[in-house]
Amino acid sequence: MKIRRITAVAATMAAGALVLSACETPETDGGSAGIDEGTALNIGWNQSFYEYNDDSATGNATANAMVLYLMKSDFNYYDEDLNLVQDTSFGSYEKTSDDPLTVEYTFNDDAAWSDGTPVDAADLVLYWAALSGNFNTEEFASDDEGVTVYPEDHEEAGEPVPEDVLNNQVFFNFTSPNVGLIDDMAVSEDHKQVTVTYAEPFVDWEVNLGVGVPAHVVAQNALDIEDPTEAKQALLDAVANEDAAALAPISNFWNTGFQFGDTLPEDESLYLSSGAYLMTDFRRDQSVTLEANPDYTGDHQASIETITIRYNEDPMASVQALQNGEIDLIQPQASADTLQALEALGDEFAVITGDGATYEHVDLAFANGGPFDPATYDGDEDTALAVRQAFLKLIPRQDIVDRIISPLNPEASVRSAYTAIPGAPNYGPITEVNGMDEMFPLELDREGAAQLLDDAGVETPIEVRLLTAADNTRRQDQLALITESVEADGLFEIVDASSAEWGSLLADPSGYDASMFGWQSTSTAVAESRANFETGGGNNFGAFSDPRVDELYTELVVTTDPDRQAEILGEVEAILVESAFGVTIYQHPAITGYNAELQNVSSIQVSPTMFWNFWEWETTLTGDEAAEDGDS
């Protein structure tokens, strides 16, 4: 949805777009006082960090977000009870008006990036400009055959981006309609305050804005400006003036400039810190090393000097590494074997179990020329719908839970809602009306699937390319069960499109027809699911589109009555089920295992799970001592 961004925006932005004061490295004032020198913590994780911009379409992944949580400050965070808490040592915000909804953000004077550049209004304005979608141009350059060409198409092919593609074509590759509700940002002269005005009320305003990648780094690279102060000013001017010629390279660098290769980039500005830790080493698929930031003066100071995150997809190998002292804290893919192995380690180790923040699901691609796309059947929507429904009727959700999840949690059940967690107050009302278990029965509907395809006159078996994690044992087990089930009657044939790079491949559905992965909740926001299902939503990788769903989310974001919120989401889900968007499978159980010499560990049901209170961790472990403990 386009939001007005005319004279009012340009006027208020321009009013604040004055020359910034010279950048100075902030005084540390005891910034490293809380660090226990010599302490080191090794953490096991199942997927490698790969991109610094976790707001982009390619970088939006838990593997990136939890590393960046250790490195970057923001206006708020969730505590152990999922209360949203302001980090006033970084900045503050206050709602100053309900009509129109107006929020004032203030950055602290000592909030700074690790190169000494202040964190300020330019960073917040870039976040808005990028995620709002308000500045994206509607037409992109086309090749000789009339096919739309995006800048990254050339980059992926190792080609320079032609001027006619790059110039004036603004395309930030991840957009949030919620951020798009903001239509005015007024910047103070000292760039420490930003007054944000919404076009309409928005129920989740507290979690709608944040600080992403450094604005000065983006502008320096995109606009070839060396001085960070001048670079930020140029970015503010570009937004204020809606200058497509400047915003085009800014958007291109925002999309791709922070993607990592196999080691740390030579340019240190591509991984700056504004928080407790600095990234000092990176080896793709092996490890990330973080050192306490001596210049950080906020409340969330590191207490452990060095944190190394080591990557291994094999949960049992992670348990063995914990036992051996190679790592001290893990939250592996949950299984009965993993839990049993952790509980058998003895009193030197601790185990926490509970519900996780992630749910497993299968989604379908609606516009990729594949078996679920109406274009494959000369635009016949009914035929494509029948194929989608038939396929989802054969996904063995109950079998997956029984054989993979129930051995870990005997009370586990199939999750049958897209937007509500089992046990949440609105889960019952939503599942009563969404029709998922009726349309896609847990005992499967083989006759119904065959009848749908027969009535549609579609030749079988229908080939379906399914993308999932190639090196995740549990997902490969799930893929095996799905393949066995959907191929049993000769109606479908699964083509294994698994990849270790599945996360970065989701944004390009030309390479798959169905995907299986997990969504992790990042907040308790009512409208958090909007980006998954609304037309053009940043997480809507399969290009699903329904005008009524769009209307319902537009209503939801201004609705404060919990009963009406549940009614709206129930109607959204009924449309998703009828349209055969995909199916949900289960809520992930969470297991956290750690060396008992590490204190104050807990995990919450939103990202960043076990990392949420890293500043409270305490340990006497050093790298060498951990190894000695494992050998004893």
Side-chain angles (χ1 to χ4, degrees):
M1 180 174 63
K2 293 287 185 179
I3 304 297
R4 67 177 182 87
R5 37 186 179 81
I6 47 177
T7 307
V9 177
T12 53
M13 286 291 299
L18 303 180
V19 177
L20 296 170
S21 60
C23 298
E24 296 180 353
T25 301
E27 296 180 1
T28 60
D29 191 26
S32 60
I35 300 172
D36 291 332
E37 294 186 5
T39 53
L41 184 67
N42 293 292
I43 301 175
W45 199 255
N46 60 22
Q47 183 186 357
S48 177
F49 177 89
Y50 62 89
E51 183 170 343
Y52 179 85
N53 185 2
D54 66 332
D55 293 315
S56 76
T58 54
N60 178 27
T62 302
N64 298 321
M66 57 92 173
V67 174
L68 295 172
Y69 185 78
L70 299 169
M71 296 175 59
K72 292 164 64 176
S73 297
D74 216 330
F75 286 102
N76 52 39
Y77 66 96
Y78 282 100
D79 69 11
E80 190 169 15
D81 297 318
L82 297 186
N83 298 307
L84 192 63
V85 182
Q86 289 199 40
D87 180 4
T88 55
S89 67
F90 173 75
S92 60
Y93 56 85
E94 179 185 10
K95 183 171 67 171
T96 59
S97 173
D98 284 311
D99 188 19
L101 175 59
T102 307
V103 184
E104 185 176 277
Y105 291 84
T106 303
F107 290 91
N108 283 3
D109 289 339
D110 58 355
W113 296 104
S114 49
D115 65 353
T117 304
V119 183
D120 61 18
D123 300 296
L124 201 64
V125 168
L126 174 60
Y127 185 94
W128 168 62
L131 271 70
S132 69
N134 292 346
F135 298 88
N136 283 358
T137 49
E138 296 183 0
E139 297 294 335
F140 294 86
S142 299
D143 61 18
D144 294 338
E145 298 180 357
V147 177
T148 301
V149 179
Y150 301 99
E152 56 265 37
D153 293 334
H154 295 277
E155 292 169 346
E156 289 176 0
E159 304 169 350
V161 182
E163 291 298 318
D164 62 339
V165 173
L166 186 58
N167 288 347
N168 304 324
Q169 306 302 321
V170 184
F171 177 62
F172 293 99
N173 66 15
F174 187 99
T175 59
S176 165
N178 297 334
V179 177
L181 291 172
I182 298 168
D183 70 347
D184 186 78
M185 299 188 86
V187 178
S188 66
E189 291 189 9
D190 64 359
H191 293 253
K192 289 299 182 182
Q193 288 189 333
V194 182
T195 302
V196 174
T197 305
Y198 283 75
E200 57 187 87
F202 178 49
V203 66
D204 295 323
W205 63 270
E206 273 199 90
V207 292
N208 201 33
L209 273 183
V211 173
V213 294
H216 69 286
V217 174
V218 173
Q220 283 174 310
N221 285 274
L223 304 178
D224 195 22
I225 299 174
E226 184 174 348
D227 182 76
T229 301
E230 294 179 8
K232 287 198 288 188
Q233 185 63 65
L235 186 145
L236 289 171
D237 291 342
V239 175
N241 300 321
E242 301 182 42
D243 182 357
L247 289 173
I250 286 173
S251 68
N252 188 48
F253 191 85
W254 187 91
N255 293 340
T256 62
F258 296 96
Q259 295 173 350
F260 278 34
D262 292 330
T263 58
L264 277 180
E266 292 183 7
D267 184 355
E268 294 182 2
S269 72
L270 298 180
Y271 50 95
L272 295 180
S273 168
S274 62
Y277 284 94
L278 303 168
M279 185 180 293
T280 58
D281 190 34
F282 167 72
R283 300 177 186 182
R284 193 181 185 97
D285 297 326
Q286 296 182 44
S287 65
V288 164
T289 300
L290 304 162
E291 301 283 347
N293 181 1
D295 294 326
Y296 172 69
T297 60
D299 290 345
H300 296 167
Q301 293 183 22
S303 60
I304 297 171
E305 188 169 29
T306 303
I307 291 179
T308 301
I309 302 172
R310 304 185 185 280
Y311 299 109
N312 192 322
E313 282 279 0
D314 186 343
M316 293 305 293
S318 296
V319 175
Q320 186 65 54
L322 178 65
Q323 182 178 23
N324 294 343
E326 298 167 22
I327 54 180
D328 310 302
L329 171 65
I330 61 174
Q331 196 169 74
Q333 294 287 340
S335 71
D337 291 341
T338 305
L339 178 59
Q340 183 178 11
L342 282 171
E343 291 177 336
L345 293 182
D347 295 339
E348 294 179 359
F349 301 90
V351 183
I352 301 172
T353 60
D355 290 331
T358 303
Y359 74 90
E360 197 79 355
H361 58 101
V362 172
D363 295 346
L364 306 184
F366 283 66
N368 69 339
F372 307 128
D373 181 356
T376 300
Y377 312 101
D378 297 324
D380 188 336
E381 298 276 356
D382 291 338
T383 297
L385 174 61
V387 175
R388 293 195 301 269
Q389 291 176 340
F391 181 75
L392 296 178
K393 284 178 180 292
L394 302 178
I395 301 294
R397 297 191 292 152
Q398 186 67 64
D399 196 32
I400 290 172
V401 170
D402 289 345
R403 297 173 64 175
I404 297 177
I405 305 303
S406 290
L408 172 64
N409 176 14
E411 297 181 359
S413 61
V414 172
R415 170 169 163 157
S416 294
Y418 302 99
T419 64
I421 298 172
N426 58 352
Y427 182 79
I430 287 175
T431 54
E432 286 176 5
V433 299
N434 70 7
M436 184 180 293
D437 289 347
E438 291 74 31
M439 177 69 75
F440 312 120
L442 301 185
E443 66 274 13
L444 303 184
D445 184 8
R446 297 192 176 281
E447 291 184 4
Q451 190 64 55
L452 280 167
L453 296 181
D454 185 56
D455 292 345
V458 180
E459 183 177 346
T460 58
I462 299 168
E463 196 173 273
V464 176
R465 298 167 297 169
L466 201 157
L467 171 67
T468 194
D471 42 9
N472 182 307
T473 302
R474 177 176 46 75
R475 290 209 169 105
Q476 286 299 303
D477 289 344
Q478 292 170 186
L479 176 60
L481 293 178
I482 290 174
T483 300
E484 179 183 7
S485 177
V486 303
E487 291 185 347
D489 300 315
L491 301 178
F492 292 93
E493 179 181 342
I494 294 293
V495 176
D496 185 356
S498 298
S499 172
E501 309 300 323
W502 65 270
S504 60
L505 298 177
L506 284 170
D508 180 15
S510 65
Y512 66 91
D513 308 306
S515 58
M516 178 173 60
F517 60 102
W519 280 128
Q520 184 176 89
S521 297
T522 59
S523 75
T524 60
V526 172
E528 183 185 51
S529 62
R530 186 178 189 182
N532 296 12
F533 308 120
E534 190 173 55
T535 301
N539 292 331
N540 188 352
F541 299 123
F544 168 79
S545 179
D546 185 277
R548 180 56 181 157
V549 168
D550 299 344
E551 292 173 1
L552 288 165
Y553 271 112
T554 299
E555 179 185 353
L556 179 65
V557 298
V558 300
T559 300
T560 57
D561 177 51
D563 291 337
R564 179 56 188 152
Q565 290 171 353
E567 290 174 358
I568 292 171
L569 290 172
E571 187 174 347
V572 166
E573 293 213 8
I575 295 171
L576 295 174
V577 168
E578 180 62 31
S579 302
F581 175 91
V583 290
T584 54
I585 306 176
Y586 59 85
Q587 192 73 23
H588 284 217
I591 301 175
T592 307
Y594 57 98
N595 189 313
E597 291 190 42
L598 176 63
Q599 301 295 313
N600 300 327
V601 175
S602 65
S603 190
I604 58 177
Q605 286 182 271
V606 298
S607 179
T609 61
M610 68 179 183
F611 293 89
W612 78 269
N613 67 331
F614 67 85
W615 57 90
E616 296 178 340
W617 291 347
E618 295 179 4
T619 190
T620 57
L621 291 169
T622 67
D624 292 338
E625 289 173 350
E628 291 171 4
D629 288 344
D631 293 336
S632 61

